């Protein structure tokens, strides 16, 4: 468990790194990623002064987050020498990140800004341009993958230095050791996310409907919370239409998540969410030996590659493309081994990414 706002984590003697970002709870993707990164940096020997800026949504939540950001200012401006790590806020919250980045630049600290979403890259925003100017040309802008870094630099000329850090390091080790049965016949399809229309629950049901009708899929297993009424409606309709061939499990964690991946053969991730970068669930599926069929947003093409499953262009018909891939399904064809091999390759590259970030923060 990480310390609360302003807490110290010091496994080694050295200049502290001021570490500002959201930590669980609530356990959304950015908070989970930030917490995992803090653990890895501490394990690498960096002394972290952690400021947890997580909070609920809405105006009162923004005020709470603003106060937590403000609590880091005295440390940034008057604390011991050392680097400043900032997990970038989205939307109006970018102003809070810009304030802290400007303070770090004023104090001549090495500044690292970690980008977790893609929306401000796909559609450049004035606030992000101001943040890049405030941070200065020496700031390191960290993204999820090289493709995202290239897009960031193209969108914001003031961003001169970029690096990449995949979320692959936070995938639970037990998924790599997961033993999955080889099932005869058509595959079992699965989907897990915060269930929304843009994340693709409708396209998942459509894909299964077409594949089931063609004899290309046996069952569909869905996991995750309902993030909007549309998702609940889709799941309830699927349960009525498909009967025992449809299995909704709600939110799953730990052993429940491992069981989800043990019970499926192919993972569907037809997300068209504006801020989609990588999809940690895609990495989890690969680690478990489950090939991924996904729309090719941001870092997903580089993660899935040519051996981890199928990348579908965002403007293509996902159900149709998935059907062509599923028609070639062979339970003994090695898709599981190739998916897991792809994950191991990503993990090996990630070790170098972490080393580069540690060197940057250590100064």
């Amino acid at each position: 468990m990480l310390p609360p706002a302003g807490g110290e984590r010091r496994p080694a003697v050295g200049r502290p790194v001021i570490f500002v970002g959201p930590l669980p709870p609530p356990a959304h993707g950015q908070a989970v990623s930030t917490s995992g990164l803090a653990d890895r940096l501490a394990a690498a020997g960096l002394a972290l002064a952690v400021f947890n800026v997580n909070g609920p949504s809405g105006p009162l939540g923004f005020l709470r987050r603003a106060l937590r950001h403000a609590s880091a200012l005295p440390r940034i401006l008057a604390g011991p020498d050392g680097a400043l790590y900032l997990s970038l806020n989205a939307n109006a919250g970018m102003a809070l990140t810009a304030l802290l980045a400007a303070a770090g630049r004023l104090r001549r600290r090495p500044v690292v800004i970690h980008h977790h979403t893609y929306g401000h890259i796909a559609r450049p925003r004035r606030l992000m341009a101001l943040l890049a100017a405030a941070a200065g040309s020496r700031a390191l802008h960290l993204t999820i993958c090289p493709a995202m870094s290239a897009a960031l630099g193209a969108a914001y000329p003031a961003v001169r230095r970029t690096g990449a850090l995949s979320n692959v390091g936070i995938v639970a080790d037990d998924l790599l050791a997961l033993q999955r049965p080889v099932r005869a016949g058509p595959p079992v399809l699965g989907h897990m996310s915060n269930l929304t229309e843009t994340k693709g629950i409708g396209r998942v049901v459509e894909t299964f409907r077409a594949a089931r009708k063609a004899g290309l899929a046996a069952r569909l297993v869905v996991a995750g919370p309902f993030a909007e009424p549309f998702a609940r409606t889709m799941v309830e309709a699927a349960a009525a239409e498909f009967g025992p061939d449809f299995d909704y499990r709600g939110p799953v964690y730990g052993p429940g998540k491992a069981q989800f991946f043990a019970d499926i053969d192919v993972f569907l991730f037809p997300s068209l969410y504006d801020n989609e970068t990588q999809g940690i669930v895609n990495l989890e599926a690969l680690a478990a030996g489950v090939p991924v069929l996904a729309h090719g947003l941001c870092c997903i093409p580089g993660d899935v590659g040519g051996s981890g499953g199928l990348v579908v262009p965002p403007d293509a018909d996902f159900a149709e493309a998935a059907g062509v891939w599923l028609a070639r399904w062979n339970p003994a064809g090695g898709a599981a081994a190739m998916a897991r091999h792809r994950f191991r390759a990503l993990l090996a590259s990630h070790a170098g990414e972490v080393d580069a970030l540690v060197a940057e923060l250590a100064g």
Side-chain angles (χ1 to χ4, degrees):
M1 178 68 70
L2 288 170
E8 299 282 349
R9 168 169 286 196
R10 295 182 177 274
V13 176
R15 295 186 304 171
V17 174
I18 302 172
F19 187 96
V20 183
L23 307 174
H28 51 77
Q30 184 172 352
V32 171
S33 174
T34 303
S35 178
L37 177 59
D39 286 337
R40 294 197 298 281
L41 295 179
L46 295 180
L48 303 184
V50 179
F51 290 83
N52 179 9
V53 294
N54 206 356
S57 58
L60 290 179
F62 183 83
L63 176 60
R64 183 182 301 177
R65 295 193 301 275
L67 292 174
R68 290 186 171 186
H69 281 78
S71 71
L73 271 175
R75 184 61 177 266
I76 295 171
L77 293 171
D81 289 345
L84 171 63
Y85 167 91
L86 299 170
S87 183
L88 177 64
N89 293 299
N91 304 318
M94 286 183 184
L96 302 175
T97 306
L99 173 64
L100 299 190
R105 182 185 182 188
L106 180 65
R107 185 63 168 71
R108 297 184 180 276
R109 297 183 182 277
V111 176
V112 174
I113 300 171
H114 198 166
H115 299 250
H116 290 270
T117 63
Y118 196 71
H120 63 281
I121 300 175
R123 297 178 305 282
R125 299 176 185 174
R126 182 175 301 176
L127 194 53
M128 178 59 217
L130 292 174
L131 187 155
S137 61
R138 297 181 64 184
L140 175 67
H141 291 259
L142 198 64
T143 69
I144 309 300
C145 66
M148 186 175 172
S149 291
L152 176 67
Y156 300 98
V159 173
R160 303 292 180 83
R161 300 179 64 230
T162 59
L165 185 73
S166 171
N167 287 313
V168 69
I170 66 173
V171 174
D173 292 339
D174 61 343
L175 292 177
L176 264 175
L178 185 66
Q179 298 297 313
R180 298 177 51 256
V182 177
R183 281 175 280 267
V188 176
L189 310 185
H191 173 73
M192 176 168 52
S193 69
N194 288 320
L195 302 176
T196 68
E197 182 174 8
T198 56
K199 282 281 188 177
I201 182 60
R203 287 180 289 278
V204 166
V205 172
E206 177 189 358
T207 299
F208 176 65
R209 179 183 294 115
R212 180 174 179 259
K213 183 177 180 180
L216 302 177
R219 299 176 60 244
L220 173 62
V221 183
V222 172
F226 297 123
E228 61 186 24
F230 174 86
R232 183 183 294 275
T233 299
M234 289 301 303
V235 166
E236 291 175 350
E241 178 179 356
F242 304 126
D245 291 342
F246 179 77
D247 180 2
Y248 173 62
R249 300 189 178 180
V252 293
Y253 307 97
K257 180 179 288 189
Q259 188 62 54
F260 167 84
F261 285 116
D263 291 342
I264 68 172
D265 303 304
V266 178
F267 185 71
L268 306 180
F269 195 71
S271 174
L272 292 175
Y273 176 48
D274 285 348
N275 282 328
E276 199 71 69
T277 55
Q278 184 167 49
I280 295 174
V281 287
N282 292 331
L283 301 174
E284 292 173 330
L286 293 175
V290 179
V292 174
L293 313 187
H295 272 311
L297 302 181
C298 197
C299 300
I300 292 174
D303 287 342
V304 176
S307 59
L310 175 70
V311 176
V312 181
D315 59 352
D317 186 312
F318 185 87
E320 180 179 347
V324 173
W325 190 92
L326 290 169
R328 299 193 299 267
W329 173 257
N330 179 356
M338 288 190 291
R340 190 161 275 167
H341 178 77
R342 181 61 192 157
F343 177 82
R344 291 187 185 279
L346 295 172
L347 199 59
S349 297
H350 178 66
E353 295 172 345
V354 173
D355 288 345
L357 178 58
V358 169
E360 178 78 19
L361 293 173

